[in-house]
């Protein structure tokens, strides 16, 4: 099963526009902020005590992710200005690589004596991101300089960790290098990188190894058990996603059934018990982590943008790894694309959320206590850069590589999977599949193919789809013979409820339209969106209308607003509602019109 | 307006039983725990470094409150064993009082060099509680030894604070001595104690005075503004209640209209915007404090037992101070008596809550995070003692003095106010009023009186009361001429909603029956009470039945339980309910049958 964005051209529509925004605005915005903050110049490795912009130990990775995004763009089109920036960075990396192959800004200029001494200092994580960028750059340009530098680094890491055992730890404190090494293996064809990937994966969580626990807690970095014994998602959610992605890579590579079973359990635990309706994961800021099943507080959701992107990585790899080609993997990818991951980026492409809450009530932020409030609240407006700015360049590298998620090639059957919808074409040798569609504005997709095609029936659509050609359905896909045909997914606004185990959402519903989850913002609905109710009886009156501002459908529908009949704090139950027209916008687009209240889960009457 | 429990005998019924429980069980339970923890022996003032049970700076007050409760009991009946314990404590206080009049265990044996140096070390607070105990003991026994010791202490405090100004601060970090000094004034007739009380009250919150701020925050101890400029409740809720009580005392004493207006505003802010339906106050554990209006989280409610008792103090003083004799003051007293204050005590009389949450979900307590959870949760079972054990002896002194709250004597009119209901008699010279009633099991109260009587019409009853004699109603009271008559308050289970500003309670209701607020416990309703709904249409089917175990009515009614039709985390809205018989118990009696889930606010269908 191959999926590679190099075989895909997204030619028009929603994701073409987002990819263009990334190329034209977001890439520059992130680069400029990184430059201003010293992250770019840090690659010169000439920082000294007393100078401004002391490098942080995760800076290499921030820039590496941006470089990876640049590489994907360069693989699709000429862009000399972008190429020059990347080459300049590669110059510095090459120049400042140690004789032994080591490259890390922080441990070269700030604490050189502490190399490989602290498991939580992201050395292997930074190395991994640089390797991913090097692979991407090689695949895009055919130029091997960066890849060679990283091969040398990888060889040195193999020596330190698998021969000398000279580091103070033996697995990464933040997983990432595992999936990077898999890319190194796939890019170079050299098994030693697969071996090193396996080493890090298999060593993790083994009893008696040198895994100092971050915050004293093995679960935080998924070191509590060997990988095949991990069946529930724990700890830091981005770390978890990167680990599970690498596990899925390895399961796909080796066909290891026990490992695949663990991956399936983890995927199910994340998506069926620990995921917000937006696709957000990580219910608490404390450790940026998973908590327990069905614990999904809305206002305090942590739901890091990187974690949503990480779940896309994991889901897409599960699609490749799992012989049962269930549409549930691509369903989750779609959920993240349109909601939890996308909400990290402003409509203008220049500002970012790290956390993506499902509820904002500004009044609650005024909550004062007599001892200064130690409560953590997500920010309510996107910003241009963070101190820990991992999310913006993760968006940079996601958007130009979305083709990875659109199609899958099943070599065995000689069939193509259409996982995501948008006007685009897939080409692999003689195989050619094209889609023409207004999706996500409408649910009609015209497909032409010279091989059999499996078309995902979106989970939100259920049985409500039709096609003008015969097909058979299984595992959430409709299989069509080669030719030209049109499938139509019925798009209508619908209310969705949460499992009652998520008790804070009992009595509430969220609005869905096609792949979009909606929210009510104060900007459209007046001061207190918390008093709004969906009216069950009126949902059929909901209307979707394209909004130029949002580039997506906005939903209007009749709703209700509850009123207190007295100023009394408590009074005999006597609910009074007034008619309230609701205007709901795509969740991912919240907070683009100034600070206001926002709510995904509304009460239902 | 006089209200004094010495004029009242509660002869039978609910509160007689609670007072007996306190006398027979709770008084001993608290004394024994205080003895075991070293609090009693600490009064010998012979602790030295290296010995166990290092005194804490609030220990004097813990024991003083117990002594005050003992004094009230001794005023009602002979109890040689109790008297002996009190006398032994007075022996030590007298023996260990300084030449100058000072008495404080901690600052005598632990940090003698730090006397009057730290505003947050409760010196004046401890002094106040000892003074209250001394007044109570004098009034109960006529023996003046303890009172003399405390007069000497008060005189010394006056010298330090108003003549020498030699302390590092000039108002208490924890208010309490203000209302104690008022009792000293009323007990001794000496104006100097009123003057000192006024000094502390008037100095508080004045610009440029020596009020070091606790936790760096003036609001914490209500030092942010002069008392007449305080119109909103802020900060530590027990501190606030004690301050406002003293303010009400002073307003009653002086007729100061500006001060009374501030007291009225504070009372309204607390009871109409910052109080749980149980009467609990203090919405956050951070600073044990008020937050903002309508911020009333249920599971994390702090709602300290002492704060509820403090609100009873404040409300009863407002009844005395406010020439408009509104029933709202005694309504709040009743709410606390049956709910928020009483929940601090177990049914067996031996265990205590400090915090009184309105929601328990044990599953949430398992919430793990990768970095150890810093979330604060109230405990779910009452315990025998706390490290900071202020609440248990506050119950000790409340229950024997409940007569204070039952009746009020309006000297001007020569009329009696019946504020609380229970078989009892009020005697003042020739004036005699008796009540005979099964209240709170039923709402019929037979009253005989030889003076005019104002009978409170409980707020929960509204217009649904009747009487067999003519009367006029105003300000929530029905006025009857002398004689014998019967009033009946219609008691029926009713659903109550919160103002919609308290957004977390939108769509929910609480059950009320007479003065009791109810809750659903897992012990009666199965594992997950959070999936239960009140059924609007079925509320008239609710039945109250006396429970011997609870000594109070239990309510059964038909309700609903919401079910998920699938195991899916999210699914199209398709609410399915099944019939669920609800058994609701008085809130104050929750957690008397082992640990289980509990909920006051249920969803309504």
């Amino acid at each position: 099963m191959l999926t590679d964005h190099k075989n895909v051209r997204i030619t028009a529509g929603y994701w073409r526009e987002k990819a263009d925004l990334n190329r034209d605005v977001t890439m520059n915005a992130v680069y400029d902020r990184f430059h201003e903050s010293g992250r770019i110049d840090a690659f010169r490795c000439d920082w000294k005590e007393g100078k401004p912009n002391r490098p942080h130990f995760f800076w290499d990775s921030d820039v590496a992710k941006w470089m990876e995004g640049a590489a994907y763009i360069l693989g699709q089109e000429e862009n000399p200005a972008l190429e020059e920036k990347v080459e300049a960075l590669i110059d510095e990396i090459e120049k400042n690589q140690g004789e032994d192959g080591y490259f890390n800004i922080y441990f070269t200029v700030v604490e050189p004596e502490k190399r490989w001494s602290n498991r939580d200092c992201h050395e292997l994580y930074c190395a991994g991101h640089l390797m991913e960028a090097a692979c991407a750059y090689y695949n895009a340009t055919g130029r091997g300089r960066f890849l060679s530098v990283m091969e040398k680094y990888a060889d040195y890491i193999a020596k330190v960790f698998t021969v000398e055992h000279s580091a103070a730890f033996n697995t990464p404190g933040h997983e990432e290098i595992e999936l990077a090494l898999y890319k190194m293996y796939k890019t170079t064809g050299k098994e030693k990188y697969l071996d090193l990937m396996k080493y890090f994966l298999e060593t993790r969580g083994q009893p008696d190894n040198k895994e100092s626990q971050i915050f004293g807690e093995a679960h935080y970095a998924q070191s509590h058990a060997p990988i095949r014994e991990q069946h529930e998602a724990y700890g830091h959610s981005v770390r978890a996603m990167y680990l599970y992605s690498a596990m899925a890579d390895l399961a796909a590579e080796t066909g290891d059934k026990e490992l695949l079973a663990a991956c399936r359990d983890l995927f199910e635990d994340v998506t069926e018990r620990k995921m917000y309706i937006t696709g957000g994961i990580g219910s608490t800021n404390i450790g940026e982590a998973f908590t327990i099943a069905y614990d999904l507080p809305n206002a305090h959701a942590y739901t890091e943008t990187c974690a949503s992107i990480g779940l896309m990585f994991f889901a897409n790899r599960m699609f490749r790894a799992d012989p049962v080609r269930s549409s549930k993997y691509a369903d989750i990818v779609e959920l993240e694309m349109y909601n939890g991951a996308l909400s990290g980026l402003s409509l203008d492409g220049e500002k970012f959320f790290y956390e993506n809450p499902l509820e904002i009530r500004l009044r609650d932020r005024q909550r004062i206590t007599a001892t200064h409030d130690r409560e953590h609240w997500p920010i309510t407006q996107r910003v241009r850069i963070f101190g820990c700015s991992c999310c913006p360049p993760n968006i940079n590298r996601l958007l130009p590589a979305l083709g990875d998620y659109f199609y899958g090639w099943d070599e065995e059957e000689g069939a193509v999977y259409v996982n995501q919808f948008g006007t685009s074409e897939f080409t692999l040798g003689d195989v050619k599949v094209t889609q023409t569609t207004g999706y996500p504005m409408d649910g009609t997709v015209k497909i032409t193919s010279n091989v059999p095609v499996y078309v995902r029936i979106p989970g939100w659509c259920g049985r409500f789809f039709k096609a003008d050609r015969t097909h058979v359905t299984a595992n959430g896909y409709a299989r069509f013979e080669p030719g030209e045909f049109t499938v139509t997914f019925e798009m209508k606004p619908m209310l969705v409820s949460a499992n009652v185990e998520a008790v804070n959402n009992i009595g509430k519903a969220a609005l869905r339209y096609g792949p979009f989850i909606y929210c009510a913002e104060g900007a459209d609905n007046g001061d207190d969106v918390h008093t709004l109710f969906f009216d069950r009886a009126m949902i059929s009156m909901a209307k979707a209308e394209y909004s130029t501002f949002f580039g997506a459908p906005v939903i209007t529908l009749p709703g209700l607003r509850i009123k207190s009949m007295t100023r009394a704090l408590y009074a005999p139950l006597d609910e009074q509602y007034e008619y309230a027209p609701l205007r709901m916008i795509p969740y991912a687009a919240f907070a683009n019109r100034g600070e206001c209240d926002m709510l995904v889960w509304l009460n239902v009457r």
Side-chain angles (χ1 to χ4, degrees), chain A:
Chain A
M1 171 64 61
L2 286 173
T3 54
D4 189 337
H5 60 94
K6 285 187 74 177
N7 306 115
V8 179
R9 282 180 56 223
I10 299 171
T11 47
Y14 195 76
W15 293 108
R16 181 68 261 155
E17 287 168 25
K18 291 294 179 193
D20 289 351
L21 181 73
N22 180 56
R23 180 195 61 206
D24 299 338
V25 178
T26 315
M27 287 295 294
N28 293 328
V30 171
Y31 184 89
D32 291 349
R33 299 298 89 67
F34 282 0
H35 191 260
E36 290 158 12
S37 60
R39 282 170 170 82
I40 301 295
D41 289 347
F43 279 75
R44 290 191 205 136
C45 293
D46 59 358
W47 182 87
K48 287 194 170 48
E49 203 64 63
K51 289 176 74 174
N53 299 330
R54 182 181 196 264
H56 194 284
F57 58 67
F58 48 59
W59 276 11
D60 311 35
S61 69
D62 289 347
V63 177
K65 275 185 283 188
W66 179 89
M67 293 172 79
E68 185 184 342
Y72 296 144
I73 293 168
L74 293 173
Q76 291 160 22
E77 56 194 289
E78 303 267 309
N79 192 326
L82 197 58
E83 195 167 347
E84 194 180 318
K85 287 174 177 165
V86 178
E87 285 287 336
L89 283 161
I90 297 171
D91 287 346
E92 298 297 343
I93 296 169
E94 188 177 30
K95 196 162 68 188
N96 292 300
Q97 183 172 37
E99 284 292 314
D100 52 9
Y102 188 74
F103 179 83
N104 182 292
I105 299 170
Y106 181 87
F107 287 103
T108 298
V109 302
V110 183
E111 296 199 298
E113 72 287 2
K114 298 239 172 114
R115 187 191 290 192
W116 307 129
S117 70
N118 186 336
R119 187 168 179 244
D120 195 28
C121 280
H122 290 44
E123 266 166 306
L124 293 172
Y125 169 87
C126 284
H129 275 303
L130 287 165
M131 288 174 199
E132 284 201 85
C135 292
Y137 198 67
Y138 173 77
N139 289 324
T141 65
R143 266 174 263 145
R145 180 169 66 127
F146 190 12
L147 185 61
S148 295
V149 168
M150 285 301 123
E151 282 199 64
K152 190 175 169 190
Y153 192 6
D155 295 342
Y156 166 63
I157 289 170
K159 188 168 67 124
V160 168
F161 283 85
T162 68
V163 181
E164 296 176 351
H165 298 284
S166 54
F169 49 93
N170 52 14
T171 63
H174 194 315
E175 304 93 319
E176 172 7 83
I177 196 170
E178 298 88 341
L179 62 85
L181 286 164
Y182 187 68
K183 286 185 177 177
M184 292 284 280
Y185 160 63
K186 297 300 270 187
T187 303
T188 65
K190 295 175 182 168
E191 294 237 350
K192 60 184 176 181
Y193 302 127
L194 179 64
D195 292 341
L196 185 55
M197 173 221 202
K198 280 185 191 166
Y199 174 81
F200 284 133
L201 284 176
E202 303 288 358
T203 307
R204 187 165 219 89
Q206 296 292 353
D208 306 324
N209 66 11
K210 289 184 289 182
E211 290 176 316
S212 63
Q213 301 315 347
I214 298 156
F215 299 114
E217 173 54 67
H219 289 84
Y220 178 80
Q222 298 78 42
S223 304
H224 54 287
I227 54 172
R228 285 175 194 74
E229 293 167 29
Q230 298 203 19
H231 302 279
E232 287 181 62
Y234 283 120
H236 187 273
S237 52
V238 178
R239 282 171 163 84
M241 290 306 107
Y242 289 2
L243 172 66
Y244 307 160
S245 293
M247 287 165 62
D249 276 340
L250 187 59
E253 180 69 26
T254 62
D256 182 327
K257 287 200 168 61
E258 196 184 349
L259 185 56
L260 178 64
C263 289
R264 280 176 173 160
D265 288 347
L266 290 166
F267 188 82
E268 181 183 312
D269 190 50
V270 171
T271 61
E272 287 295 304
R273 287 184 285 279
K274 295 175 179 166
M275 184 185 75
Y276 288 86
I277 194 168
T278 55
I281 52 172
S283 295
T284 178
N285 69 297
I286 304 170
E288 311 183 310
F290 289 108
T291 59
I292 55 172
Y294 306 107
D295 177 36
L296 298 161
N298 292 309
H300 287 92
Y302 196 72
T303 48
E304 183 179 341
T305 303
C306 284
S308 280
I309 293 172
L311 181 49
M312 289 177 69
F313 296 164
F314 181 32
N316 210 35
R317 283 163 170 84
M318 285 304 290
F319 168 72
R320 291 181 211 157
D322 194 339
V324 181
R325 307 238 178 272
S326 164
S327 65
K328 68 182 177 183
Y329 301 120
D331 275 349
I332 293 295
V333 168
E334 181 178 68
L335 180 68
E336 297 293 3
M337 282 168 64
Y338 288 92
N339 305 285
L342 186 61
S343 65
L345 182 64
S346 63
L347 291 175
D348 66 12
E350 295 190 330
K351 298 185 287 296
F352 308 92
F353 272 138
Y354 192 110
E355 294 165 69
N356 299 274
L358 280 79
E359 175 178 359
I360 293 173
R361 190 160 183 254
L362 295 175
R363 217 180 147 274
D364 291 339
R365 310 301 178 100
Q366 302 160 15
R367 216 166 168 265
I368 54 149
T369 67
T371 60
H372 304 303
D373 204 332
R374 291 186 292 263
E375 193 167 13
H376 173 89
W377 293 105
I379 59 171
T380 58
Q381 291 287 284
R382 293 177 187 82
V383 296
R384 291 175 189 276
I385 187 171
F386 304 93
C388 174
S389 211
C390 47
C391 301
N394 235 345
I395 292 171
N396 285 150
R397 68 177 181 148
L398 176 72
L399 289 173
L402 272 183
D404 280 346
Y405 304 88
F406 269 55
Y407 295 93
W409 166 240
D410 187 331
E411 202 162 11
E412 219 166 284
E413 191 188 343
V416 168
Y417 280 76
V418 175
N419 280 329
Q420 302 303 332
F421 306 106
T423 298
S424 58
E425 49 188 62
F426 172 84
T427 321
L428 183 70
D430 293 337
V431 176
K432 182 160 185 168
V433 180
T434 63
Q435 281 186 67
T436 314
T437 176
Y439 198 94
M441 308 317 151
D442 68 71
T444 301
V445 185
K446 193 174 133 191
I447 294 172
T448 61
S449 174
N450 56 7
V451 295
V453 177
Y454 290 85
V455 178
R456 178 174 63 96
I457 306 159
W460 54 259
C461 169
R463 291 171 296 109
F464 299 97
F465 87 104
K466 56 183 191 230
D468 62 359
R469 279 270 302 280
T470 56
H471 56 272
V472 288
T473 60
N475 297 324
Y477 286 93
R479 185 182 186 283
F480 295 86
E481 293 300 327
E484 179 176 320
F485 55 92
T486 300
V487 294
T488 305
F489 309 115
E490 188 186 9
M491 275 193 189
K492 60 174 186 184
M494 65 169 84
L495 294 180
V496 178
S497 64
N499 193 295
V500 299
E501 294 280 344
V503 294
N504 58 320
N505 289 332
I506 289 178
K508 299 177 195 287
L511 183 69
R512 173 159 215 156
Y513 178 72
F516 291 108
I517 302 296
Y518 282 77
C519 68
E521 273 205 313
D524 302 301
N525 298 287
D527 271 352
D528 201 342
V529 297
H530 287 74
T531 57
L532 294 174
F533 279 62
F534 286 124
D535 184 342
R536 268 181 215 94
M538 289 291 166
I539 188 67
S540 62
M541 307 280 284
K543 283 186 179 42
E545 198 177 345
Y546 180 75
S547 155
T548 312
F549 180 80
F550 293 111
V554 161
I555 311 288
T556 53
L557 72 165
L560 300 165
R561 188 184 291 277
I562 194 167
K563 300 175 62 173
S564 276
M565 297 313 287
T566 72
R567 290 186 56 229
L569 185 49
Y570 304 107
L573 182 71
D574 176 25
E575 300 136 298
Q576 300 286 339
Y577 300 89
E578 61 182 14
Y579 165 76
L582 306 183
R583 185 170 193 259
M584 311 286 293
I585 65 160
Y587 166 75
F590 84 92
N592 274 288
R593 295 170 295 169
E595 203 175 37
C596 61
D597 285 4
M598 183 275 288
L599 201 54
V600 170
W601 291 100
L602 268 63
N603 284 300
V604 181
R605 179 77 171 96

